[in-house]
Amino acid sequence: QVQLVESGGGLVQAGGSLRLSCLASGRTFSSYNMGWFRQAPGKEREFVAVITWSGGSAYYADSVRGRFTISRDNAKNMLYLQMNSLEPEDTAIYYCVARLPYRPDPLPGNVGIWGQGTQVTVSS
């Protein structure tokens, strides 16, 4: 079973950048699609991005497309989310996830493995 640990969250001003990282334990990391979800205060958990097991394809939520980039390094068991041009609306807990389908807007119920989350706060 893969376990996921996120890092890199913090406080940033609007327009700034952050890079989230996710370290996965377990030898099956490279066989899973990986992704990111987020949950803002008072809102439901929502999809952010997904990347295929090989890293060859990625899909993004409309709200982050063009600003965020998901990537992975299978040799290091690492998943990343580069977030640029951050907006106050991006404030949320960001979750690294594994075992999700590669398709538009997967639901939280479609995700097999969750990390514990890292807080991202964007000030205006």
Side-chain angles (χ1 to χ4, degrees):
Q1 178 79 337
V2 172
Q3 292 186 318
L4 307 172
V5 179
E6 304 94 336
S7 61
L11 174 64
V12 64
Q13 288 189 330
S17 298
L18 278 176
R19 188 173 87 150
L20 304 183
S21 299
C22 174
L23 175 62
S25 64
R27 291 175 288 180
T28 56
F29 169 81
S30 61
S31 66
Y32 293 146
N33 295 335
M34 301 288 296
W36 295 91
F37 274 67
R38 68 184 181 184
Q39 187 166 20
K43 295 188 176 181
E44 295 187 352
R45 207 166 284 192
E46 66 175 7
F47 165 74
V48 175
V50 59
I51 189 167
T52 56
W53 65 271
S54 67
S57 297
Y59 186 85
Y60 299 90
D62 290 344
S63 58
V64 307
R65 186 175 295 116
R67 300 187 298 122
F68 291 10
T69 302
I70 189 171
S71 61
R72 66 190 296 166
D73 184 339
N74 286 345
K76 296 181 179 179
N77 277 19
M78 293 293 295
L79 178 73
Y80 305 100
L81 185 69
Q82 178 67 44
M83 306 185 294
N84 299 328
S85 302
L86 283 161
E87 304 167 352
E89 293 73 23
D90 296 315
T91 295
I93 299 173
Y94 283 71
Y95 297 91
C96 174
V97 299
R99 285 177 52 195
L100 69 163
Y102 182 77
R103 69 179 190 217
D105 303 322
L107 298 174
N110 300 137
V111 174
I113 303 170
W114 293 83
Q116 292 195 328
T118 185
Q119 177 71 48
V120 171
T121 303
V122 184
S123 63
S124 57

